[in-house]
Amino acid sequence: MRDDASGTARDDASAVDVRFPAGGTVPVEVLLGQFGGEPEGGGGLRVGDERVREFLAAFGRRLLRPALARRHPELGSLGFFLRPSELARTVAGLGGEHVRVPRGLIFHVPPANVDTVFVYSWALSALMGNRNVVRLSHRSGTVAETILETLHEALADADPVIAATQRVISYGRSGTVTAALSAACDLRVVWGGDGAVREIRRHALAPHARDLTFPDRSSFAVVRAAAWLCAPRAARVTVAEGFVNDTYWFDQAACSSPRTVFWVGSEGDCDAARADFTDHVARVVTVRGWGVDAAMAVEKRVSTYGLAADGLAESVEFHGNALAVVHLSAAAAAPRRWLGAGTFAHARLGALGELVPLVERRDQTMTHFGFGQDELEELARGLAGRGVDRMVPVGSALSFHRVWDGVDLPAEFTRLVTVIR
């Protein structure tokens, strides 16, 4: 997009808006040419480069400022991820007999509905010494704008190599730009729906390059009913607060946000635990002022009543517009599609192992409460790769980790050099 004399954006098939470091609108060929020379001050980046670590840590500290973290709690989580000790742990985890080097130029295509994803992907890649181009959607919200502002604040004190090797850009639906960036990159990282992944894959990569894709995923929670009923009230409040964080921060649209809650135990225990859990969640939602607009409220009713009409739901309960509870007729009816913000299906299982035949490859995160480490590991082995890449406590669904969707991202962002004397 270029601006004409009136300041109105007009289409230009090869133009990109350089948003970090702020650089106006340039042709994609110019953007790629900016990566061709040696960074000012000399010296390209290395894996775990101290200059990148200092910049990321400074950026993270700014995200943890109390006023900002209160306004956007998800930025507090991001700042915590970027603290120096975590960055050092990530680099230390790459030890081995080979020499690790940066993979090269990484092209990131994050989703528009989760504003912080692009930072995690980019930060780990930058930490591995790569040059990066991140495509940020024009539809990204206020959180993305806040992130860009904070990046620029941190850039003011950063080594010039950061500005020379890192770019965040935006452009319209230009196949020309996507094709040019795809042809130039060494690794293309695509986050989004299945359709978005297929669309991006239409653009050829260089023969040596490859894709790292994170397509449509679905997640669920599993709770031992007896453990919930025996837990102190304070513990149940904490879990309910964590569940609300897992689901409402991104309108339940994040791939790791649970859409179904499986209750494990006897019918009586599960009914009692589900009712008490719903009451706790409803109170947290009310206290925090979470709500949905009229259009979303209508969509939730259409989706949930549709499940009932199809015989997949025995009953539907609405607790205002913000919370909808669907009692499934069978655990196998658990929906994978998004039903609207604050809509949760519930089903009962007699034992944790009954999950195994229900899990699908698209299932990503299982948040849990009331189970021991041995039980969870046994379930993971029983699933044998058919689905579920993360098992984390309720409240940690959105906590990013270097291993995501079963992929060790820092390892993917580097290459191994064998050195034998």
Side-chain angles (χ1 to χ4, degrees):
M1 305 286 287
R2 290 188 185 275
D3 289 343
D4 62 20
S6 66
T8 302
R10 61 181 177 85
D11 290 334
D12 188 321
S14 68
V16 299
D17 295 330
V18 182
R19 304 179 67 181
F20 175 83
T25 303
V26 300
V28 66
E29 297 82 6
V30 172
L31 175 78
L32 291 171
Q34 293 169 352
F35 289 114
E38 188 75 6
E40 182 182 340
L45 295 175
R46 296 186 176 190
V47 172
D49 198 290
E50 191 62 35
R51 296 166 294 180
V52 176
R53 291 164 72 165
E54 290 176 358
F55 172 69
L56 292 176
F59 172 51
R61 284 193 296 271
R62 286 171 168 81
L63 294 177
L64 289 170
R65 290 175 295 196
L68 185 58
R70 281 195 300 269
R71 191 164 73 249
H72 301 296
E74 61 270 43
L75 295 186
S77 298
L78 176 56
F80 191 74
F81 179 80
L82 295 174
R83 66 196 191 281
S85 60
E86 185 63 27
L87 298 176
R89 188 178 300 114
T90 297
V91 175
L94 293 171
E97 60 180 308
H98 300 279
V99 176
R100 283 194 181 268
V101 297
R103 187 166 287 275
L105 176 61
I106 315 298
F107 176 31
H108 305 258
V109 186
N113 64 333
V114 182
D115 284 340
T116 56
V117 163
F118 84 89
V119 184
Y120 290 104
S121 176
W122 159 75
L124 287 174
S125 179
L127 182 62
M128 295 302 103
N130 293 298
R131 294 163 293 138
N132 292 278
V133 177
V134 182
R135 177 187 179 179
L136 185 61
S137 171
H138 282 297
R139 296 186 288 115
S140 297
T142 56
V143 172
E145 294 296 335
T146 301
I147 288 170
L148 289 173
E149 292 171 5
T150 310
L151 281 171
H152 280 102
E153 290 177 13
L155 185 65
D157 299 319
D159 189 281
V161 73
I162 304 300
T165 58
Q166 312 300 318
R167 295 290 184 276
V168 178
I169 65 172
S170 293
Y171 60 92
R173 294 183 176 275
S174 171
T176 300
V177 174
T178 302
L181 293 172
S182 297
C185 72
D186 298 290
L187 178 69
R188 184 170 59 188
V189 186
V190 186
W191 305 73
D194 293 351
V197 172
R198 283 191 289 266
E199 176 65 22
I200 294 294
R201 276 181 164 168
R202 292 193 308 108
H203 302 285
L205 295 168
H208 72 275
R210 62 191 181 87
D211 276 322
L212 183 58
T213 60
F214 299 90
D216 281 335
R217 305 301 300 272
S218 180
S219 297
F220 58 85
V222 57
V223 181
R224 191 190 298 279
W228 177 268
L229 293 172
C230 292
R233 183 178 182 280
R236 283 178 282 158
V237 169
T238 298
V239 173
E241 290 174 340
F243 183 81
V244 170
N245 289 343
D246 286 346
T247 53
Y248 282 82
W249 268 6
F250 298 110
D251 291 335
Q252 209 179 343
C255 59
S256 57
S257 293
R259 297 172 185 175
T260 297
V261 182
F262 292 103
W263 294 91
V264 178
S266 68
E267 185 173 353
D269 280 355
C270 288
D271 287 345
R274 182 184 64 228
D276 185 67
F277 173 84
T278 300
D279 287 344
H280 276 78
V281 170
R283 280 196 288 271
V284 173
V285 169
T286 299
V287 168
R288 294 190 179 179
W290 290 103
V292 300
D293 59 26
M296 178 61 69
V298 171
E299 182 171 342
K300 289 170 67 171
R301 281 164 170 75
V302 170
S303 298
T304 53
Y305 290 145
L307 290 176
D310 291 338
L312 302 178
E314 294 180 345
S315 62
V316 179
E317 301 172 7
F318 290 95
H319 299 256
N321 284 341
L323 176 61
V325 177
V326 180
H327 303 284
L328 297 175
S329 55
R336 264 68 182 188
R337 64 186 178 90
W338 184 70
L339 300 174
T343 303
F344 306 102
H346 292 258
R348 187 183 77 84
L349 301 171
L352 185 62
E354 292 179 17
L355 270 175
V356 172
L358 304 180
V359 167
E360 300 179 2
R361 186 63 192 91
R362 77 182 82 176
D363 292 329
Q364 184 214 61
T365 297
M366 184 188 92
T367 48
H368 57 80
F369 175 79
F371 299 95
Q373 182 75 17
D374 291 345
E375 293 176 285
L376 296 172
E377 290 182 359
E378 181 180 356
L379 175 62
R381 285 188 289 269
L383 289 169
R386 68 182 296 156
V388 179
D389 298 314
R390 303 173 66 228
M391 297 181 180
V392 297
V394 172
S396 298
L398 301 177
S399 297
F400 200 87
H401 189 269
R402 55 173 283 179
V403 177
W404 194 259
D405 277 14
V407 176
D408 188 334
L409 288 170
E412 293 292 331
F413 290 143
T414 58
R415 293 173 55 238
L416 297 176
V417 178
T418 301
V419 180
I420 300 175
R421 183 177 182 275

